[in-house]
Amino acid sequence: MATQKTALVVSAHAADFVWRCGGAIALHAEKGYDVTVLCLSFGERGESAKLWKQEGMTLDRVKSARRTEAENAAKALGAADLVCLDLGDYPLEFSRDNKMKIVEVIRRVQPAFMLSHSQYDPYNTDHMNTTNAVLECRMIAQAWGHNPGEKVLGAPQLYLFEPHQTEQMGWKPDTFLDITPVWEKKRAAIECMEGQEHLWEYYTRVAINRANHFKRNSGGQSGGRDCRYAEGFQSIFPRTVDEL
Amino acid sequence: MATQKTALVVSAHAADFVWRCGGAIALHAEKGYDVTVLCLSFGERGESAKLWKQEGMTLDRVKSARRTEAENAAKALGAADLVCLDLGDYPLEFSRDNKMKIVEVIRRVQPAFMLSHSQYDPYNTDHMNTTNAVLECRMIAQAWGHNPGEKVLGAPQLYLFEPHQTEQMGWKPDTFLDITPVWEKKRAAIECMEGQEHLWEYYTRVAINRANHFKRNSGGQSGGRDCRYAEGFQSIFPRTVDEL
Amino acid sequence: MATQKTALVVSAHAADFVWRCGGAIALHAEKGYDVTVLCLSFGERGESAKLWKQEGMTLDRVKSARRTEAENAAKALGAADLVCLDLGDYPLEFSRDNKMKIVEVIRRVQPAFMLSHSQYDPYNTDHMNTTNAVLECRMIAQAWGHNPGEKVLGAPQLYLFEPHQTEQMGWKPDTFLDITPVWEKKRAAIECMEGQEHLWEYYTRVAINRANHFKRNSGGQSGGRDCRYAEGFQSIFPRTVDEL
Amino acid sequence: MATQKTALVVSAHAADFVWRCGGAIALHAEKGYDVTVLCLSFGERGESAKLWKQEGMTLDRVKSARRTEAENAAKALGAADLVCLDLGDYPLEFSRDNKMKIVEVIRRVQPAFMLSHSQYDPYNTDHMNTTNAVLECRMIAQAWGHNPGEKVLGAPQLYLFEPHQTEQMGWKPDTFLDITPVWEKKRAAIECMEGQEHLWEYYTRVAINRANHFKRNSGGQSGGRDCRYAEGFQSIFPRTVDEL
Amino acid sequence: MATQKTALVVSAHAADFVWRCGGAIALHAEKGYDVTVLCLSFGERGESAKLWKQEGMTLDRVKSARRTEAENAAKALGAADLVCLDLGDYPLEFSRDNKMKIVEVIRRVQPAFMLSHSQYDPYNTDHMNTTNAVLECRMIAQAWGHNPGEKVLGAPQLYLFEPHQTEQMGWKPDTFLDITPVWEKKRAAIECMEGQEHLWEYYTRVAINRANHFKRNSGGQSGGRDCRYAEGFQSIFPRTVDEL
Amino acid sequence: MATQKTALVVSAHAADFVWRCGGAIALHAEKGYDVTVLCLSFGERGESAKLWKQEGMTLDRVKSARRTEAENAAKALGAADLVCLDLGDYPLEFSRDNKMKIVEVIRRVQPAFMLSHSQYDPYNTDHMNTTNAVLECRMIAQAWGHNPGEKVLGAPQLYLFEPHQTEQMGWKPDTFLDITPVWEKKRAAIECMEGQEHLWEYYTRVAINRANHFKRNSGGQSGGRDCRYAEGFQSIFPRTVDEL
């Protein structure tokens, strides 16, 4: 019997997974992967300006609205599961307990690959702290002595998805993924983010321009594989292959 | 009708292709690739110390001996072609004419991927200058206005093979290739290098330790794919994929 | 009497100045700068694929067509002068004589600032070699003993304009320029590039997304200066200021 | 009515702001800025060797002496406010509570720009941890959901002032500020640091040599703006401009 | 009376000091140094897979077994002291209390030089966090106000010993140490690590190949000092010398 | 019989060796080294502004004046030999013939160590091109097949001496040399540079501040070796040692 293929996205705030790797989620879901989206927070304090500008807004109402958006987006993308840890944002706190909650999800999912933020982000330290924590939790999940008896984690790749203002983050994509077949799903998920409408067209432009990069790198001036929408990723670990 | 798959190795000196990517050559040859090895020089002045210590040695005799070694090694690896440009070494001269000779080979081979040296090497500037030239020649081979009518080059990956003293070169492998199935061929090719016997065991140890890295990255403590010999490569360009 | 303000753009190929800093040219022209555009080549061999695909095309006809496009674009942008050195492209050759031609232009223009390519570009070595040459020529133009009697150059900033696939080039913008007031001129210049129509929308999207970065960096979530089109630049040299 | 211009210096220990950006403080104070100096600690444990060598010294007496020095220096520079958080040094502890105290100051000051330490310092981890915390606190201060109703922070530049042994810290100045008009004030502030007299001449030499760099970068061999004392700064974020 | 020479190794887990600097320990012990090995944990959870695969294993039994191995290895190497802080691994927790325990050891040993892990390790964050903590503790140990009356630390070099998969860690050795005279002791210590037998030959190969690098850097093709086993180290701080 | 110890300085222009490593030259000369200074040019065009401002100056007169200064400085430092290749400056041309002249000097001197410029210098490409050429010539001098019969070069360290505006050049010193015993000689040599009097005090300040760094790194707050003047150097190659 074939093993179910799985992937895990770790998103600092509720909307990050949509802009940055919504295409990868939808594409792998269509390919039969169970993709789990783990939102560490709802971005309730730091990424919900539009809501906070409304009269009488409360933290709970913001969280609730953001959770609904995240659920709708995850559904639009075909994610198998959405886990919201509600750790609080701006700043995210990576206490030992919180890290163990992340480890627990990693162990349960046993992902073939993981996706998270860039390793540097001077605008948003929640992002870079998330990736540091993911690396630490990946290590813990690999330990035979952590909750002995549980299945230990293998060595999943960690892909860093595209940050805002890529060059300021020192992010360099080494992998372009053609998301043309699922673009409509990504766009639908994007439109679930009602509080950040100013970014809908922004990330549509990003996807179209990344498709240009896909084409360049698949064939240069002599042609290249056609592609209309793409996403870029940076790998942390080396690949192991049987053919170059 | 299926197109013949091809690859091109650009080696500054006659022996470089053996130590650094002999496994990749043999493996892809077995997979049906036509692999062309392009030696820019024989390493006649700078990498033939043992020969020069013999009484009455001449440049021609050194070149001839090194050429024979290279031919034997290429044959042992199953390379489809060995091209020796005899540009002179220590230093290699990258005149316009010489670069055009490289372009001509690239255009003729139309490689699916290329292999060459690290981008920095303070011990051996021939190595890093070769890679700079390969990038320049790749660009020229892509130009529609260069020898119009010839088939222009696509966008082949350039893999940088393993230099000696990797850390001093700033070389970081992102791809490990399992060469276990062809290890005997690589070892046979290594033993063709009679003048550098001190390196036979050195590069055998490298291959075994790289296999450890292959295993680590394919599965960590929980297992990983078995592998007894491997080679590492650094990619210059991003990959374009349909699945992460 | 006030001195005329001047700027100099050094473009490896005829079209580069349009996509990468057309806004800066038009904006400074409107501000009263004499902006000189120096095209080292026409991009006749390497960046004129569409022309070469036409029956019976010749190098002269390609050059002529590309020159016309460059002239039209320079006029649309309000550049004071367009200088075409016709050094040949793919590869550009930076012989001593050719470098002296560049020095001559720099000395004549006496730019308050200069613009050129990124310092690294594995896809297009003409680009990075141009910037290396510009730095060398800037140094020569500053030498009191080079053509004694001529006015020596001061210490103009060298801004690196935006390359294609910025992250692959290690290019990091430290300056965003609002080009909203001159966007129509830049778009008009872009449309002069008839052979590269596939890039018109691409660079329009770039300009709109860079405007988002302009806004972010001028005010964050609390507002920021409005901006609809922008260009990004990386500075080589430090600034000297009287107020932070 | 014009808004009061403001700036904020975050100094890990009581004396850092004097050596590293005393000129910037005095200059902007003269220009009408309200400059707030925030000292996270007094450097009581780690940067008060001379006091500790005295018989019967206590932590309170050291703090008191260092506080007095800092107050005198701040006054000499014309700082509008000196805030001492007394978080303890060697090591500084960046607990959530402590970070919120920093956020509170940032929100109150609403700085047009901020100044703090280099991002790497293997000699003094308090320094680099301070800058990490400043970036995190800047992010929190920008969050609409942090203490809703308070005025959120815009996007102030963070300048990194000059560390000791600059090259070991990977610090690269991109901005030189002419502090000649206020040098006497900076020197007076320096002389308030009675416990570190060995550094008085050291940082005077630094200021004179930085003036040489100011001149070089403002005009090269052909002249350059005269300058007798300067300070250097590295910017974290891009600038947004209307003219290059 | 001559002062006793001392050195301090800070090892995240019980076995690290053996693979990575066992030769340096044995060599300096033979030269009369008192070498203290500080193990922050036993690697009981994360680096004891073989033990955990045994039926009925407990954390205490794993720790006990690993402690015995570490004691045997330290004895084989001639270390003067082995200190086990038992801070727990995967992840190591660097609370203030734990850091003070490290500071206490540093102050007691007063090392002429220190050895620890690489500054980056995405596979094993315990390693990189250890080095960050060592730098912080070194700073605290230098503070005159920390436990006034104790002897403060000077400015010992911190050497980073060789990580696994060096290139992935950005580790670059600047110092090769000839450990040929003590190789048998290092091999004996290696064989104390019964749970990690798969690494015995791996690190023997590393030592032999590092000897090749020692020879290259001591004399190139013209000879070089003979050496059969070596270890490599990266220095954090500059050296101070009276002769180059 | 003991072999004569030797060292080689490669200076792009006639004055570079004085400011940047005059102390190292004088110190090693006192220690019995034969130090050869190789000036590739006189800096006649680019670093002789003061002379060119005189009426009726000619290239020959500038060269002659600069040669005299260099000879006086070399004598003041106790250099064993001054070799002036007169290759022309701004720009230096590194033709094959010119490189062979450098190789010839290297082979003749057989230096135990070499000194030259930083690897990056956007202000002065002659400097960085010199170091690239030195690395290439070092490689050629090591080749057994280059002028067979001559003594081949070993593996001398290449130290990069201090550039102007160190941080802009990415130069990071890893070695501080105490030049207090020979300071008077360095100052005397500095004063031979009549055309650059504005740099006399600048580089005196550099030497005093580098002495502060020497002290810091030799003992920190607890003392450190006294030192009044120092020079800093960056090493290209790893060291090989028998004790850390």
Side-chain angles (χ1 to χ4, degrees):
Chain A
M1 195 194 87
T3 309
Q4 176 58 36
K5 290 183 293 183
T6 56
L8 177 63
V9 178
V10 186
S11 180
H13 313 105
D16 291 324
F17 71 92
V18 180
W19 319 112
R20 314 199 176 295
C21 64
I25 294 169
L27 190 75
H28 288 82
E30 287 201 355
K31 287 180 190 297
Y33 281 76
D34 271 1
V35 183
T36 297
V37 176
L38 173 59
C39 289
L40 302 186
S41 78
F42 299 105
E44 62 270 18
R45 290 167 23 104
E47 307 196 344
S48 306
K50 195 173 167 187
L51 289 168
W52 285 108
K53 290 175 187 171
Q54 297 174 19
E55 196 74 27
M57 186 53 58
T58 65
L59 198 63
D60 280 347
R61 287 178 53 206
V62 174
K63 281 187 188 180
S64 172
R66 297 295 278 170
R67 179 193 288 270
T68 300
E69 286 181 3
E71 287 170 349
N72 292 343
K75 183 186 289 183
L77 297 170
D81 198 7
L82 172 71
V83 180
C84 294
L85 289 185
D86 194 10
L87 304 182
D89 73 323
Y90 281 60
L92 275 163
E93 285 292 331
F94 291 100
S95 66
R96 190 175 187 96
D97 278 358
N98 286 347
K99 285 189 278 199
M100 291 308 150
K101 291 175 188 166
I102 299 171
V103 173
E104 194 276 328
V105 176
I106 294 175
R107 279 251 172 122
R108 191 172 69 228
V109 173
Q110 293 284 334
F113 62 87
M114 304 171 73
L115 291 146
S116 197
H117 296 265
S118 63
Q119 290 192 289
Y120 177 65
D121 189 336
Y123 294 84
N124 194 315
T125 55
D126 277 4
H127 290 168
M128 65 186 188
N129 293 343
T130 293
T131 297
N132 286 343
V134 167
L135 287 171
E136 185 157 29
C137 294
R138 180 184 183 271
M139 173 191 78
I140 299 169
Q142 291 175 325
W144 283 80
H146 174 77
N147 292 350
E150 286 185 11
K151 184 177 177 198
V152 300
L153 182 69
Q157 180 60 274
L158 175 60
Y159 290 105
L160 312 182
F161 45 55
E162 177 160 348
H164 206 79
Q165 297 199 67
T166 59
E167 302 93 355
Q168 307 301 323
M169 315 311 174
W171 177 82
K172 181 184 172 186
D174 53 41
T175 309
F176 288 111
L177 180 71
D178 184 355
I179 60 164
T180 308
V182 296
W183 171 252
E184 293 309 323
K185 291 184 181 175
K186 176 163 182 176
R187 178 70 196 202
I190 281 176
E191 295 187 9
C192 295
M193 298 296 120
E194 297 176 7
Q196 293 162 296
E197 196 169 344
H198 61 294
L199 292 177
W200 296 6
E201 293 307 316
Y202 181 92
Y203 278 105
T204 298
R205 285 188 293 268
V206 165
I208 297 170
N209 280 11
R210 290 297 177 199
N212 172 287
H213 302 173
F214 186 101
K215 279 183 278 190
R216 287 263 170 140
N217 286 292
S218 68
Q221 298 188 56
S222 68
R225 230 277 297 282
D226 192 40
C227 174
R228 290 188 299 123
Y229 300 94
E231 286 176 346
F233 301 97
Q234 178 180 336
S235 313
I236 290 290
F237 301 102
R239 296 186 301 138
T240 54
V241 302
D242 291 301
E243 185 171 345
L244 292 176
Chain B
M1 196 194 85
T3 309
Q4 175 59 35
K5 291 183 293 184
T6 56
L8 177 64
V9 178
V10 185
S11 180
H13 313 107
D16 290 324
F17 72 91
V18 180
W19 319 112
R20 315 202 175 293
C21 63
I25 295 170
L27 190 74
H28 288 82
E30 287 201 356
K31 287 180 190 297
Y33 281 76
D34 270 1
V35 183
T36 297
V37 176
L38 173 59
C39 290
L40 302 185
S41 79
F42 299 106
E44 62 271 16
R45 288 165 25 104
E47 307 196 344
S48 306
K50 193 173 168 188
L51 290 168
W52 285 108
K53 290 175 187 170
Q54 298 173 19
E55 195 76 25
M57 187 53 57
T58 66
L59 197 62
D60 281 349
R61 285 178 53 203
V62 173
K63 283 186 187 180
S64 172
R66 297 296 278 172
R67 180 194 289 268
T68 301
E69 286 180 3
E71 287 170 349
N72 291 342
K75 182 186 290 181
L77 296 170
D81 197 7
L82 171 71
V83 179
C84 294
L85 288 184
D86 194 11
L87 304 182
D89 72 324
Y90 282 59
L92 276 162
E93 285 293 331
F94 291 100
S95 66
R96 192 175 186 97
D97 279 357
N98 286 346
K99 285 189 277 200
M100 291 307 151
K101 291 175 188 166
I102 299 171
V103 172
E104 194 276 326
V105 175
I106 295 175
R107 280 251 171 121
R108 192 172 69 227
V109 172
Q110 294 282 335
F113 62 86
M114 303 170 75
L115 292 146
S116 197
H117 296 264
S118 63
Q119 289 192 288
Y120 177 64
D121 190 335
Y123 294 84
N124 194 316
T125 54
D126 277 3
H127 289 167
M128 63 186 190
N129 292 344
T130 292
T131 297
N132 286 344
V134 167
L135 287 170
E136 185 157 31
C137 293
R138 179 185 184 270
M139 173 191 78
I140 299 168
Q142 291 176 324
W144 284 78
H146 174 77
N147 293 349
E150 286 186 10
K151 184 176 178 197
V152 302
L153 182 69
Q157 180 61 272
L158 175 60
Y159 290 105
L160 311 182
F161 45 56
E162 177 159 349
H164 206 79
Q165 298 199 67
T166 59
E167 302 94 354
Q168 306 302 324
M169 315 310 175
W171 177 84
K172 181 183 174 187
D174 52 43
T175 309
F176 288 112
L177 180 71
D178 184 354
I179 61 164
T180 308
V182 296
W183 171 251
E184 294 309 321
K185 289 183 182 176
K186 176 162 181 176
R187 177 71 195 202
I190 282 176
E191 294 187 9
C192 296
M193 298 295 122
E194 296 175 7
Q196 292 162 298
E197 195 169 344
H198 61 294
L199 291 177
W200 295 7
E201 293 307 315
Y202 181 93
Y203 279 104
T204 298
R205 286 187 293 268
V206 166
I208 298 170
N209 279 12
R210 290 298 177 198
N212 171 286
H213 302 172
F214 186 101
K215 278 183 277 190
R216 288 265 170 137
N217 287 293
S218 67
Q221 297 188 56
S222 69
R225 230 277 298 280
D226 192 41
C227 174
R228 290 188 297 122
Y229 300 95
E231 286 176 345
F233 301 96
Q234 177 180 337
S235 312
I236 289 290
F237 301 102
R239 295 186 301 138
T240 54
V241 302
D242 291 301
E243 184 171 345
L244 292 175
Chain C
M1 196 193 85
T3 309
Q4 175 59 35
K5 290 182 293 182
T6 56
L8 177 64
V9 178
V10 185
S11 181
H13 313 105
D16 290 324
F17 71 92
V18 180
W19 320 111
R20 314 201 175 293
C21 64
I25 294 169
L27 191 74
H28 288 82
E30 288 201 355
K31 287 180 189 298
Y33 281 76
D34 270 0
V35 183
T36 296
V37 176
L38 173 59
C39 290
L40 303 186
S41 79
F42 299 105
E44 62 270 16
R45 290 164 26 102
E47 308 196 343
S48 306
K50 194 172 168 188
L51 290 169
W52 285 109
K53 290 174 187 171
Q54 298 174 18
E55 195 76 26
M57 187 52 58
T58 66
L59 197 63
D60 280 348
R61 286 179 53 205
V62 173
K63 283 186 187 179
S64 173
R66 297 296 279 171
R67 179 194 288 270
T68 301
E69 286 180 4
E71 287 170 349
N72 291 343
K75 183 187 288 182
L77 296 170
D81 198 6
L82 171 71
V83 180
C84 295
L85 289 185
D86 193 12
L87 304 182
D89 73 323
Y90 281 59
L92 276 162
E93 285 292 332
F94 290 101
S95 66
R96 190 176 186 97
D97 278 357
N98 285 348
K99 285 189 278 200
M100 291 307 149
K101 290 176 188 167
I102 299 171
V103 172
E104 194 276 327
V105 175
I106 294 175
R107 279 252 172 120
R108 191 172 69 228
V109 172
Q110 293 283 334
F113 63 87
M114 303 169 75
L115 292 147
S116 197
H117 296 264
S118 63
Q119 290 193 288
Y120 177 63
D121 189 335
Y123 294 84
N124 194 314
T125 55
D126 276 4
H127 289 167
M128 64 186 187
N129 292 343
T130 292
T131 296
N132 286 344
V134 167
L135 287 171
E136 185 158 30
C137 293
R138 180 185 184 269
M139 172 191 79
I140 299 168
Q142 291 176 325
W144 284 79
H146 174 77
N147 292 350
E150 286 185 10
K151 184 177 179 199
V152 301
L153 182 70
Q157 180 60 273
L158 175 61
Y159 290 105
L160 310 182
F161 45 56
E162 177 158 349
H164 207 79
Q165 298 199 65
T166 58
E167 303 94 354
Q168 307 301 325
M169 315 311 173
W171 177 84
K172 181 183 173 186
D174 52 42
T175 308
F176 288 111
L177 180 72
D178 184 354
I179 61 164
T180 309
V182 296
W183 171 252
E184 295 309 323
K185 290 184 182 176
K186 176 162 181 176
R187 177 70 195 202
I190 282 176
E191 296 187 8
C192 295
M193 297 296 121
E194 298 175 7
Q196 294 162 296
E197 196 169 343
H198 61 293
L199 292 177
W200 295 7
E201 293 308 315
Y202 180 93
Y203 279 104
T204 298
R205 286 186 294 268
V206 165
I208 298 170
N209 280 12
R210 289 298 176 198
N212 171 288
H213 301 173
F214 185 101
K215 278 183 277 190
R216 287 264 170 139
N217 286 293
S218 67
Q221 297 189 56
S222 69
R225 230 278 296 281
D226 192 40
C227 175
R228 290 188 299 123
Y229 300 93
E231 285 176 345
F233 301 96
Q234 178 180 336
S235 312
I236 289 290
F237 301 102
R239 296 186 301 138
T240 55
V241 302
D242 291 301
E243 185 171 344
L244 291 175
Chain D
M1 195 194 85
T3 309
Q4 176 58 36
K5 290 182 295 183
T6 55
L8 177 64
V9 178
V10 185
S11 180
H13 313 106
D16 290 325
F17 71 91
V18 180
W19 319 111
R20 315 199 176 295
C21 63
I25 295 169
L27 191 74
H28 288 82
E30 287 201 355
K31 287 181 189 298
Y33 281 77
D34 270 1
V35 183
T36 297
V37 176
L38 173 59
C39 289
L40 302 185
S41 79
F42 299 106
E44 62 271 17
R45 289 166 24 103
E47 306 195 345
S48 306
K50 193 173 167 187
L51 288 168
W52 284 108
K53 290 175 186 171
Q54 297 173 21
E55 195 75 26
M57 188 53 58
T58 66
L59 197 63
D60 281 347
R61 286 178 52 205
V62 173
K63 283 187 186 179
S64 172
R66 297 295 278 170
R67 179 193 289 269
T68 301
E69 286 180 2
E71 288 170 348
N72 292 342
K75 183 186 289 181
L77 297 170
D81 198 6
L82 172 70
V83 179
C84 294
L85 289 185
D86 194 10
L87 304 182
D89 73 323
Y90 281 58
L92 276 163
E93 285 292 333
F94 291 100
S95 66
R96 191 175 186 97
D97 279 357
N98 286 346
K99 284 189 278 200
M100 292 306 151
K101 291 176 189 166
I102 299 170
V103 172
E104 194 277 328
V105 175
I106 294 175
R107 279 250 172 122
R108 192 172 69 227
V109 172
Q110 293 283 335
F113 62 88
M114 304 170 74
L115 291 147
S116 198
H117 296 264
S118 63
Q119 288 193 288
Y120 177 65
D121 190 336
Y123 294 84
N124 194 314
T125 55
D126 277 4
H127 290 168
M128 63 186 190
N129 292 343
T130 292
T131 297
N132 286 344
V134 167
L135 287 171
E136 185 158 30
C137 294
R138 179 184 184 272
M139 173 191 79
I140 299 168
Q142 292 176 324
W144 283 79
H146 174 77
N147 293 348
E150 285 185 12
K151 183 176 179 199
V152 301
L153 182 69
Q157 180 59 273
L158 175 60
Y159 290 106
L160 311 182
F161 45 55
E162 177 159 347
H164 206 79
Q165 297 199 67
T166 58
E167 301 95 355
Q168 306 301 324
M169 315 311 175
W171 177 84
K172 181 184 173 185
D174 53 42
T175 309
F176 288 111
L177 180 71
D178 184 354
I179 61 164
T180 309
V182 296
W183 171 252
E184 293 310 321
K185 291 184 181 176
K186 176 163 182 177
R187 177 70 195 203
I190 282 175
E191 294 187 9
C192 295
M193 298 296 122
E194 296 176 8
Q196 293 162 296
E197 196 169 342
H198 61 293
L199 291 177
W200 295 7
E201 292 307 317
Y202 181 93
Y203 278 104
T204 299
R205 285 187 295 268
V206 166
I208 298 171
N209 279 12
R210 289 298 177 198
N212 171 287
H213 301 173
F214 185 101
K215 277 184 278 190
R216 287 264 171 138
N217 286 293
S218 67
Q221 297 188 54
S222 69
R225 230 277 297 282
D226 193 40
C227 175
R228 288 187 300 122
Y229 301 94
E231 286 176 346
F233 301 96
Q234 178 180 337
S235 312
I236 289 290
F237 301 102
R239 297 186 299 138
T240 54
V241 302
D242 290 301
E243 183 171 345
L244 292 175
Chain E
M1 196 193 85
T3 309
Q4 176 58 36
K5 291 182 293 184
T6 55
L8 177 64
V9 178
V10 185
S11 181
H13 313 106
D16 290 326
F17 72 91
V18 180
W19 319 111
R20 315 199 175 295
C21 64
I25 295 169
L27 191 75
H28 288 83
E30 287 201 356
K31 286 181 190 296
Y33 281 76
D34 270 0
V35 183
T36 296
V37 176
L38 173 58
C39 289
L40 302 185
S41 79
F42 299 105
E44 62 270 16
R45 290 166 23 105
E47 307 196 344
S48 305
K50 194 173 168 187
L51 290 169
W52 285 109
K53 290 174 188 172
Q54 298 173 19
E55 195 76 25
M57 188 52 59
T58 67
L59 197 63
D60 281 347
R61 284 179 54 205
V62 173
K63 282 187 188 179
S64 172
R66 296 296 279 171
R67 180 194 288 271
T68 300
E69 286 180 4
E71 286 170 349
N72 291 343
K75 183 187 287 182
L77 297 171
D81 199 7
L82 172 71
V83 180
C84 294
L85 289 184
D86 194 9
L87 304 181
D89 73 323
Y90 281 59
L92 275 162
E93 285 292 333
F94 291 100
S95 66
R96 191 175 186 97
D97 278 357
N98 286 348
K99 285 190 276 200
M100 291 307 151
K101 291 176 188 166
I102 299 171
V103 173
E104 194 276 328
V105 175
I106 294 175
R107 279 252 172 120
R108 191 172 70 227
V109 172
Q110 293 283 335
F113 63 87
M114 303 170 74
L115 291 147
S116 197
H117 296 264
S118 63
Q119 290 192 288
Y120 177 64
D121 190 335
Y123 294 84
N124 194 314
T125 56
D126 277 3
H127 289 167
M128 64 185 189
N129 292 344
T130 293
T131 296
N132 286 344
V134 167
L135 287 171
E136 186 157 30
C137 293
R138 180 184 183 271
M139 174 191 79
I140 299 168
Q142 291 175 324
W144 283 79
H146 175 77
N147 293 349
E150 285 185 10
K151 184 177 178 198
V152 302
L153 182 69
Q157 180 60 274
L158 175 60
Y159 290 105
L160 310 182
F161 45 56
E162 177 159 348
H164 207 78
Q165 297 200 67
T166 57
E167 302 94 355
Q168 306 301 324
M169 314 312 173
W171 176 84
K172 181 184 172 185
D174 53 42
T175 308
F176 288 111
L177 179 71
D178 184 354
I179 61 164
T180 308
V182 298
W183 171 251
E184 294 308 322
K185 291 183 180 174
K186 177 162 182 177
R187 178 70 196 203
I190 282 175
E191 295 187 9
C192 295
M193 298 296 121
E194 295 175 9
Q196 292 162 296
E197 196 170 343
H198 61 294
L199 292 177
W200 295 6
E201 293 307 316
Y202 181 93
Y203 278 105
T204 298
R205 285 188 294 268
V206 166
I208 297 171
N209 279 12
R210 290 297 177 199
N212 171 288
H213 302 173
F214 185 102
K215 279 184 277 191
R216 287 262 171 139
N217 286 293
S218 67
Q221 297 188 57
S222 69
R225 231 278 296 282
D226 192 42
C227 174
R228 290 187 300 124
Y229 300 94
E231 286 176 345
F233 301 96
Q234 178 180 337
S235 312
I236 289 289
F237 300 102
R239 295 187 300 137
T240 55
V241 302
D242 291 301
E243 185 170 345
L244 291 176
Chain F
M1 195 193 87
T3 310
Q4 176 58 35
K5 291 183 293 183
T6 56
L8 177 64
V9 179
V10 185
S11 181
H13 313 105
D16 290 324
F17 72 92
V18 180
W19 319 111
R20 314 201 177 294
C21 64
I25 295 169
L27 191 75
H28 288 82
E30 286 201 356
K31 287 181 189 298
Y33 281 75
D34 270 2
V35 183
T36 296
V37 176
L38 173 59
C39 289
L40 303 186
S41 79
F42 298 105
E44 63 271 15
R45 289 163 27 103
E47 307 196 343
S48 305
K50 195 173 167 187
L51 290 168
W52 285 108
K53 291 174 187 171
Q54 297 173 20
E55 195 76 25
M57 188 53 57
T58 65
L59 197 63
D60 281 347
R61 285 179 53 205
V62 174
K63 282 186 188 180
S64 173
R66 296 296 278 172
R67 179 193 288 270
T68 301
E69 286 180 3
E71 287 169 350
N72 291 343
K75 184 187 286 182
L77 297 170
D81 198 7
L82 172 71
V83 179
C84 294
L85 289 185
D86 195 11
L87 304 182
D89 73 323
Y90 280 59
L92 276 162
E93 285 292 332
F94 291 100
S95 65
R96 191 175 185 97
D97 278 356
N98 285 347
K99 285 190 275 200
M100 290 308 149
K101 291 175 188 166
I102 299 171
V103 173
E104 194 276 326
V105 176
I106 294 175
R107 279 250 172 124
R108 191 173 69 228
V109 173
Q110 293 283 335
F113 63 86
M114 303 170 75
L115 291 147
S116 198
H117 296 264
S118 63
Q119 289 191 289
Y120 177 64
D121 189 336
Y123 294 85
N124 194 314
T125 54
D126 276 4
H127 289 168
M128 64 186 188
N129 292 344
T130 293
T131 296
N132 286 344
V134 167
L135 287 170
E136 185 158 31
C137 293
R138 179 185 184 269
M139 173 191 79
I140 299 168
Q142 291 176 324
W144 283 79
H146 175 77
N147 292 350
E150 286 185 11
K151 185 177 178 196
V152 301
L153 182 69
Q157 180 60 274
L158 175 60
Y159 290 105
L160 311 182
F161 46 55
E162 177 160 348
H164 206 78
Q165 299 200 68
T166 57
E167 302 94 355
Q168 306 302 324
M169 315 310 173
W171 177 84
K172 180 183 174 187
D174 52 41
T175 308
F176 288 112
L177 180 71
D178 184 354
I179 62 164
T180 308
V182 296
W183 171 252
E184 294 309 322
K185 290 183 182 176
K186 177 164 182 177
R187 177 70 195 202
I190 282 176
E191 295 187 8
C192 295
M193 297 296 120
E194 296 175 8
Q196 293 162 297
E197 196 169 343
H198 61 293
L199 292 177
W200 296 5
E201 293 307 314
Y202 181 93
Y203 278 104
T204 298
R205 286 188 294 268
V206 165
I208 297 171
N209 279 12
R210 289 297 177 199
N212 171 288
H213 302 172
F214 185 102
K215 278 185 277 191
R216 287 265 170 138
N217 286 293
S218 67
Q221 297 189 56
S222 69
R225 230 278 297 280
D226 192 40
C227 174
R228 290 187 298 123
Y229 300 94
E231 285 176 346
F233 301 96
Q234 178 180 337
S235 312
I236 289 290
F237 301 103
R239 295 187 300 137
T240 55
V241 303
D242 291 301
E243 185 170 344
L244 290 175

